[in-house]
Amino acid sequence: MPKQQKGPRILAAGAAVQLLTGIPAAWGVFQRPVMEEYAFTRAQATLAFALLVAGYGVGCAAGGLLQDARGPRLAAAAGTGLLGGAFLLAAVVPAGNAALFLAVYSLPAGVGSAFLAPAVLACAQKWYAGRKGLATGVTGAAMGLSGAFLTLFVRGVGGRFGMRVCFAALGAVVLAVCGAGAAVLQDPPARGRAPAAPGLSPRAMLRTPQYRLCLAGVALAAPPVLLFSPEILAMAADRGLPEAFAPLCVVLGSAASAAGRLACPALSDKAGRKPVLYGVYLGLGIGSAFFAWARGWFFVAAYALLTFFYSGGAAVQPALNTDLFGLRHAGVNYGFLALGMSAGSLLSYAGSQLLPLPARHLAAGVCAAAGLGCFALVKPLCQNGTAVAKKA
């Protein structure tokens, strides 16, 4: 099949896969039903969310190594098995056994989603090497919409048949949809392609200050959203939103996430990665201040603002990673950068358990400011006096 026809198929397959990997964006709608179905405490249910996101960060590194060595199809197939299997196993976990739920669902689901992410992102970037922001944005937008899809699925299937049936059904859907998408993924043929751009090996990248700054910046982007997202439905009710409309926080937040994942990378192709990231962290800081006092529908708007910038920044990161460290090892290098998500998730979990709500709002603003500072210090990387990739 000609490259111009294969490229859109890769994007479509990647978008279909990503539509089922946005569990963190929808965990607010999972939290209460999971607590009721499995007799978990709030802390146990929140830990399930934190370990899922932490598993995602760790899994991105492992998934990146796998796709770098064996290609995106195998990495995506492995991720499909892990994610689909995690949903199916969650359906049979006995009530009250939080440790087993964490072991068979949270960690495998996070790692499985992460195996899928680098496979999709790196593959799409290779097919659209001249428009990496666009390729990242299209597949990332589907991940943003995943929260809305999962909200409707959990409210519909889970609300009618219970969370065990909901988890089993999600497992079947993941195996079918992600399995089909994984079968389509492949790197572009070497013939007719421009020579590969210079790039650092993962080991060399890990030794650079640019990597450490980006890692810290990724971690610091998480608290403005993850300090609150597991409890977003309860917070919405406390802030005066009618209970029947509380799930709209997740749905509209997911729509804003999709918009951010599409708009920010595309804008970064024109304006540059760092200027867009400056705007992202400024948006997270301003949004955090707005979110701290907003009530009613303003609360929904504030949460949507936060998810727009958080997801938009996350979607710019793979393109920035490629600009800084090259395309040759883009999948595995992005995987190591995603370890920042693990750190940010665990930091957010600790904050949600240890800090009162006003202190959490303050911490969110401080983290946004610190993240902006990290990216302000990132400079283009040179190797033997030559830039590894284009200016970020």
Side-chain angles (χ1 to χ4, degrees):
M1 177 176 292
K3 180 175 179 179
Q4 61 268 28
Q5 296 181 24
K6 187 69 173 179
R9 285 188 63 194
I10 295 294
L11 284 184
V17 168
Q18 297 285 62
L19 188 63
L20 291 162
T21 59
I23 307 166
W27 188 257
V29 80
F30 280 86
Q31 176 120 332
R32 184 182 293 177
V34 166
M35 290 170 62
E36 294 172 352
E37 183 77 38
Y38 294 91
F40 290 169
T41 65
R42 168 185 168 273
Q44 288 171 330
T46 304
L47 181 60
F49 166 74
L51 288 183
L52 190 152
V53 180
Y56 182 91
V58 173
C60 273
L65 285 167
L66 179 60
Q67 78 90 28
D68 203 39
R70 301 295 299 275
R73 184 173 297 167
L74 180 61
T80 297
L82 284 167
L83 181 58
F87 278 123
L88 293 175
L89 288 172
V92 297
V93 171
N97 197 332
L100 183 61
F101 187 89
L102 298 177
V104 303
Y105 174 71
S106 293
L107 291 174
V111 173
S113 297
F115 271 42
L116 290 161
V120 167
L121 292 172
C123 184
Q125 286 190 5
K126 289 174 183 176
W127 281 92
Y128 291 88
R131 293 180 291 168
K132 295 188 292 291
L134 172 66
T136 303
V138 170
T139 55
M143 181 183 283
L145 289 174
S146 176
F149 168 77
L150 291 170
T151 297
L152 297 174
F153 198 98
V154 171
R155 299 283 291 186
V157 178
R160 184 171 182 179
F161 301 106
M163 282 306 296
R164 294 180 185 277
V165 173
C166 182
F167 276 134
L170 279 170
V173 172
V174 165
L175 292 175
V177 174
C178 294
V184 174
L185 296 180
Q186 66 180 75
D187 287 333
R191 185 178 179 181
R193 276 197 297 161
L200 292 187
S201 68
R203 179 176 296 181
M205 180 198 71
L206 292 173
R207 294 198 294 263
T208 65
Q210 286 88 344
Y211 168 73
R212 292 188 287 272
L213 287 166
C214 289
L215 184 75
V218 169
L220 290 165
V225 173
L226 299 190
L227 278 171
F228 312 102
S229 59
E231 302 174 78
I232 193 64
L233 297 187
M235 290 183 66
D238 290 342
R239 298 288 185 92
L241 196 69
E243 185 175 354
F245 294 106
L248 284 177
C249 276
V250 179
V251 173
L252 295 179
S254 297
S257 172
R261 287 179 180 275
L262 189 61
C264 291
L267 180 60
S268 75
D269 278 344
K270 305 285 187 182
R273 315 298 180 203
K274 285 181 62 175
V276 170
L277 285 173
Y278 295 158
V280 161
Y281 284 88
L282 283 171
L284 286 173
I286 294 169
S288 294
F290 181 26
F291 187 67
W293 62 263
R295 297 185 60 83
W297 290 105
F298 286 109
F299 178 83
V300 178
Y303 185 67
L305 185 68
L306 287 174
T307 60
F308 176 91
F309 285 113
Y310 172 62
S311 297
V316 172
Q317 296 296 343
L320 175 66
N321 171 78
T322 303
D323 288 348
L324 287 172
F325 307 116
L327 188 60
R328 187 176 303 169
H329 302 283
V332 63
N333 284 348
Y334 171 68
F336 280 110
L337 182 63
L339 290 172
M341 297 181 188
S342 296
S345 171
L346 296 175
L347 178 66
S348 299
Y349 173 73
S352 71
Q353 300 302 305
L354 298 175
L355 298 176
L357 188 59
R360 278 189 269 165
H361 286 300
L362 178 61
V366 170
C367 287
L372 190 153
C374 288
F375 283 105
L377 295 173
V378 172
K379 305 298 181 186
L381 186 64
C382 292
Q383 192 176 39
N384 298 325
T386 303
V388 169
K390 72 178 185 179
K391 186 177 179 181

